[in-house]
Structure formats: structure tokens, C-alpha cells
Amino acid sequence: MIHSTLRIVLFSALMMLPIAKAHAGIDPNFYIFLCFGQSNMEGAARPEPQDMTSPGPRFLLMPAVDDPQRGRKTGVWCEATPPLCRPNNGLTPVDWFGRTLINSLPENIKVGVIHVAIGGIKIEGFMPDQIQEYVKEAPEWMVPMLAAYDNNPYQRLVDLAKRAQKDGVIKGVLMHQGESNTGDPEWANKVQKVYDRLLGDLKLKPEEVPLLAGEVVQADGKGVCINMNKQIDELPKTIHTSQVISSEGCSNGPDRLHFDAAGYRELGCRYGETMTRILGFDPVRPHIDMPQPIEVPADAILAETTVPGCDFPKIDKEHRAYFRVVAPEARKVILDICNKKYDMKPDGKGGWMAVTDPLVVGFHYYFINIGGSNFIDPSTETFFGCNRQAGGIEIPEGKEGDYYRPQQGIPHGQVNSFYYYAESSKEWRHCLVYTPAEYELKKNAKKRYPVLYLQHGMGEDETGWSKQGHMQHIMDNAIASGEAVPMLVVMESGDIKAPFKQGDSFSDYGASFYQVMINDLIPTIDQKYRTITDRHHRAMAGLSWGGHQTFDIVINHMDKFSYMGSFSGAIFGLDVKTAYDGKLADATSFNKQIKFLFMSCGSEEMPRFQTDKTVKMLRSNGIKVDFQVSEGTDHEWLTWRRGLKQFIPHLFK
């Protein structure tokens, strides 16, 4: 009898061993949360550096899909760092939900999350009895996302939850969904069906596993789906164990549909704080590195190059420039201006800001660099420079700059645009022509005018002198004051828009323009406009490489020109005795044919361009040259505006 009793006891003990072993791995201090929804739960913002630092082994993720790049396997716990959903997703509210919990709960408690979400999915996509039909009608872009969960996201969530129940205790369900069901009166009932089915399949009690549902983007009342918040706010009337997480004040991206990184952090902390209170603890929000906003002085003004209606760029009285660009998914943004790069700082609202050192007056090209590529600031006017369309900003001079500004009370000329066919190059070409105000007057219908051919520099085009250089205002003001005679100004592309290629000859760069100008452009202008067609009424000038082209064209065609100017001219290695077949060697003949030769440069560029040395060399050979230096300026448009102003009073008199 004793032996029988012992056998029964031993048998009973042995039978209990597998059960005891099966439950030995369940940690009551491992709190697990199930997370599902659509794009804002999926994660639509690019994580920033503070989001990528692992919170440690107390915050874990059971991946719902494989992620080979990060060494993650479906159903195997790992440290929870973005992306929590799928490999190509971004930051979600769950990231900072978990961080808030581990910051608030006792250190012996771990937090685990299971995350299943699909951008654009309706709540029907999580209903087992509707998923098959839903998959059949899903839009093409959603097909691969559904396939990642074997076309049944609900079942993937349940399967992983059952696996997780062997390790810990499910304490709550997080949902962010509704944008795709906006206006659906049955939405709350459908959510209840999903929630009830989930609890039933996992044998959970609603009182022990509350549902936390987040509001959608508000965007200061302009959120695309903001009307859905009324339905979300009333969800507790249908599901008594649900709580709503407010999105008020959470920042968003430019689409007004998704939160930006700062918005996800804030919303995630609110999810975490709510759950912490439900669990019976006082919430302690984790540290969030909030960007320190760049203070813009109240007296800062919009740059004149700013697109109307935009708030930036701005300039303060010290000539510091302030820039802001919206790039919510960018990780690093750089402002590149005046040969200096500035790291732009996130403003916590999806934007990036920068302030420069004091900039010299005048016009400056600049770019916004995102991810290693240069982009044009959408808040500024565009200008062709640096071999491409570029952003630009004007740092204003004082009254001394009025000569290149439009003035009231004087007549204003026009800048006309037209295309013409160049037989020399077998192509259609574009040209801009300035005509003085009096050109259009009936009393001058038969009057003819002298012409200045004005060329841009390397990497720019025919629009440069009128947009960046304000040529038309310089001409209007000089003609109105009597400093310059009325004249036409012709601006054409010098075939130097593309960069100079290493290995090419300097003499070849832009040389394709020479025959076009002599054989096509000048005859076309003389045909279409009332010009004086002799050499005594024709001038040419150019800046930088346009100055180089001026030397090449005029000196080789002195039968067609009597005036020439070079502003910061790219004239290197000039041998006065041999250049241009010796035409400069005979100073008497040159001075007789060229009535006025003008050269100028900025004081800050002289060491590089050595215009002063070229002038000295020409003068030593008897060539008459008028030389001017623009004090305090470099190889820039302010130098060239000043050069044009000084050049035109000497023409055609």
C-alpha cells in the first residue's frame, strides 16, 4: 500500500514537471504591449540621432518581419531601436512610449512591444473575417506591405503575441488608426470587434489589458483627417477600457497627415505616461533633446530675393542671414554660402535653421545640402550660376547702392527676350536686349542707337546681367542722370554655362560663341533693332570669362568695335608682344582703333586674378587702359555692377 502511494506521488510529480517547466520562463515583470495601426503607427518620420541610441535591454522588440540588415529575426526578442515596424519604416510613437515606461517603472520591470502596422490600411484590414476580400481589393502600393505579414496582419500579431506570452505578460494594446476610416460611422464598432477578437484569441481580460488610441494629426486645426478626432475621442463610449491619447500640439510634417520626429516623440511620451498611470506608477518623462531655436531679431528683414509669401531668408542689421528649410526626414542639412558651410539645426517642427556670420554686401549664390546633394532653397528666387540653377540672396548696401536699384521719377527701359537662328552653329539661340526708355517713344521712331554687347562669366548665362547684375537699373539711372548716352545692351550666352573641363585648352572654352557673335548675333541685332551699325557705335564688355571673351573677340575684330571693357577678366598669361598676332605690340595702332579700354576688379580678388599686373604690363607697352578697383569686394556681382557703372559713361561720346 505504501509502495502504491509512493508510485502515485512520483507519477503525479513527474506529470507536473513539464507544466512547471513550461511556465518557468514567464516573467511577471516583463510587460508586453501589442501595437497596430496604419502609417503613423508604422512610422513616417526619419529618426534623428537621439532616437537611434538604444535605451538598453529593458526595452525589447519582437520583430514581426525579418530584418537581415540589423540581424533581426521574426519572433526573436531584440533591443528596441528604430525602425520598430519594418526595415524601411521610421520613428513611431511606440519608440518613446517604451522609453517613457522604462524611465517611469521600477528597474526590475522590462518592456516588450510587438508592432504590426501598414500605411493606409483601414480597420477592416485587421478584421479576420474581412481580410481576404481586403487583400483582393488592396491598392498596388499596399500589396508588398500586406505580403510582409502573409496577407494577414491580424494573424501575425496574434501568433507573435502567443509566443510572447511564454515570456511575459501582455499589459495593453496600442492603436493609431483612423485616417483611412475618416467619416465612417461604424469605425468604433469595428475597432471593438478587433479588440474583442484579440482579447479572446489570447485569453485576456479587457480590465487587465486596456486599449490606448491616439488622435490623428491636428496641424493647428488644418490636419487633413482632423475630423476623425471626434470619432476617436468618443471611442471610450464604445470600449469602456479604452483611453484616448491627445495629439494637440504635436508637430507634424508638411503633408499635415503625418507627425514629424518631434511629434512622434511627444505623442509617444503621452502614450507612455497614460499607461504608466494605469499600471499604478507616477510617470517620469525621459529626457528629450529639444532643439534650441535660433533667435531671429525682431528688426530682421526679408531679403529682397525671398519668394513673396515666404518667411525666410531674412537679414539682420549686422548682415547676418537667417535661413529655414522644411525637411522633416533629413538627418543632416548644411547651408553652403560664401565659401563657408553651416550645419543647420532642427527646430523641432520638421524644419532646419541656420544663421550665418555677417556677410559682405552684394549678391551671393547659396545651396542647401541634404544627404550630400545640393538643392535650391524653395524660399528664394532662382538664378543661373555655378553651372546650374542656384539659390541667391542679396545683402543690401546703403544709399551707395541706389545706382543699381530702380528709382521713381525717371524713365525706365525694357529687357526684351527673343530667339534667333544661328547659322554658324546650326541652332536656335536665346538673347536678351535692353532698350532705353526713349527707344519706344514715337518721336524717336527713326532714331538709331549704339550697342553694348555685355557678356556673363563662367557657369552663368544670358540672364545673369539682368537678374543678378541689375544692368537695366544701372542703365536707366545713368541715362536719366546724363552720365551715359542712350544705348542698347545685348546679352547672349557665351557657351560657358557648363564647367571648364580639365585637360581642355583655355583658348577653346567658349570659343564656339565667337563665330556666332560675329556672323549671327550682330547681324540679327542690326536687323531687328534700330542700331548704328558702324564700329564707332559698337562696344563689348564682360565679367570674368566674359572679359576673356571680350579680349578675344574685340582684338581680333577691331574693324567691328571701338570700345571694350573687362570686369575681373580671366586674362592669364598674356604676352603683349605675341598675343593676338601682335596686335597689342603696336600700341599706336591699337590706341587709334580702340577709343576706350576699361579694366576693373575687386580689391579682394587681385591676388588671384592679377588684373593690376595685366594693366601694368599693357601700360608699359603704351596701351591706354582705364583701371578701377572696387574696394572691399571679391569676385562677385557687386564688383561687376560697379565696373559697369564706371564703364558706360565713357561710351559713344
Side-chain angles (χ1 to χ4, degrees), residues 1-14:
M1 193 69 178
I2 296 175
H3 294 295
S4 297
T5 303
L6 285 173
R7 281 197 299 269
I8 293 172
V9 172
L10 287 171
F11 179 77
S12 300
L14 288 171

Side-chain angles (χ1 to χ4, degrees), residues 621-633:
N621 199 55
I623 302 293
K624 295 179 181 179
V625 186
D626 190 316
F627 178 51
Q628 300 289 336
V629 176
S630 172
E631 292 297 334
T633 62

Side-chain angles (χ1 to χ4, degrees), residues 601-608 629-636:
C601 66
S603 61
E604 305 307 301
E605 65 175 331
M606 277 200 292
R608 303 193 311 280
V629 176
S630 172
E631 292 297 334
T633 62
D634 209 313
H635 201 67
E636 58 188 275

Side-chain angles (χ1 to χ4, degrees), residues 30-106:
F30 185 17
Y31 293 178
I32 298 167
F33 300 89
L34 310 181
C35 312
F36 75 97
Q38 57 185 105
S39 56
N40 274 312
M41 180 59 79
E42 186 181 58
R46 186 181 295 277
E48 295 175 348
Q50 62 181 311
D51 306 310
M52 298 306 297
T53 303
S54 173
R58 288 183 59 211
F59 182 27
L60 302 177
L61 167 72
M62 178 179 280
V65 296
D66 290 339
D67 186 349
Q69 179 183 347
R70 297 173 179 83
R72 295 176 178 177
K73 291 186 178 297
T74 303
V76 179
W77 293 108
C78 62
E79 289 191 9
T81 55
L84 300 184
C85 192
R86 295 188 307 281
N88 294 323
N89 296 134
L91 191 68
T92 92
V94 180
D95 284 291
W96 285 80
F97 163 79
R99 292 170 188 263
T100 302
L101 283 184
I102 63 172
N103 203 56
S104 305
L105 303 180

Side-chain angles (χ1 to χ4, degrees), residues 230-448:
K230 183 177 181 181
Q231 292 173 267
I232 295 173
D233 292 344
E234 294 180 352
L235 187 62
K237 295 180 181 179
T238 303
I239 303 174
H240 74 281
T241 57
S242 66
Q243 293 204 33
V244 174
I245 310 302
S246 171
S247 65
E248 183 177 358
C250 293
S251 54
N252 55 275
D255 62 2
R256 295 181 288 112
L257 181 65
H258 298 100
F259 299 98
D260 59 15
Y264 283 122
R265 291 187 203 107
E266 177 61 31
L267 189 62
C269 287
R270 294 178 185 180
Y271 269 102
E273 290 168 337
T274 300
M275 183 55 69
T276 298
R277 294 188 183 95
I278 292 172
L279 294 171
F281 298 95
D282 293 326
V284 180
R285 181 173 286 222
H287 173 72
I288 299 178
D289 292 325
M290 294 301 294
Q292 296 300 314
I294 292 176
E295 296 291 338
V296 181
D299 61 354
I301 61 172
L302 285 175
E304 65 180 68
T305 41
T306 300
V307 171
C310 293
D311 297 328
F312 290 90
K314 288 183 175 179
I315 305 165
D316 68 17
K317 62 182 180 182
E318 304 298 329
H319 290 163
R320 287 183 291 262
Y322 299 80
F323 298 86
R324 183 178 188 271
V325 62
V326 176
E329 296 189 11
R331 293 188 177 183
K332 187 176 182 64
V333 182
I334 297 172
L335 168 69
D336 188 345
I337 183 172
C338 295
N339 298 315
K340 186 169 182 177
K341 294 179 172 60
Y342 299 85
D343 286 332
M344 300 188 78
K345 301 181 183 301
D347 63 5
K349 299 179 180 179
W352 297 74
M353 294 189 67
V355 57
T356 68
D357 297 331
L359 301 174
V360 297
V361 294
F363 176 88
H364 306 289
Y365 297 112
Y366 74 94
F367 291 97
I368 304 294
N369 188 287
I370 303 175
S373 296
N374 282 337
F375 294 90
I376 302 172
D377 180 356
S379 297
T380 191
E381 300 285 355
T382 58
F383 307 84
F384 196 93
C386 309
N387 309 113
R388 55 167 290 184
Q389 290 291 340
I393 187 170
E394 183 80 28
I395 307 301
E397 283 192 285
K399 292 286 292 182
E400 68 274 17
D402 283 350
Y403 72 91
Y404 59 79
R405 299 185 181 113
Q407 301 297 321
Q408 292 183 339
I410 67 169
H412 297 280
Q414 299 180 12
V415 177
N416 304 295
S417 167
F418 76 89
Y419 288 85
Y420 70 100
Y421 187 78
E423 188 65 35
S424 299
S425 58
K426 307 294 184 186
E427 64 181 344
W428 285 94
R429 298 178 66 99
H430 182 238
C431 172
L432 295 175
V433 180
Y434 165 83
T435 54
E438 68 170 55
Y439 186 89
E440 304 297 330
L441 299 178
K442 288 184 179 180
K443 67 178 183 179
N444 295 323
K446 294 184 179 181
K447 182 177 179 179
R448 293 186 171 273

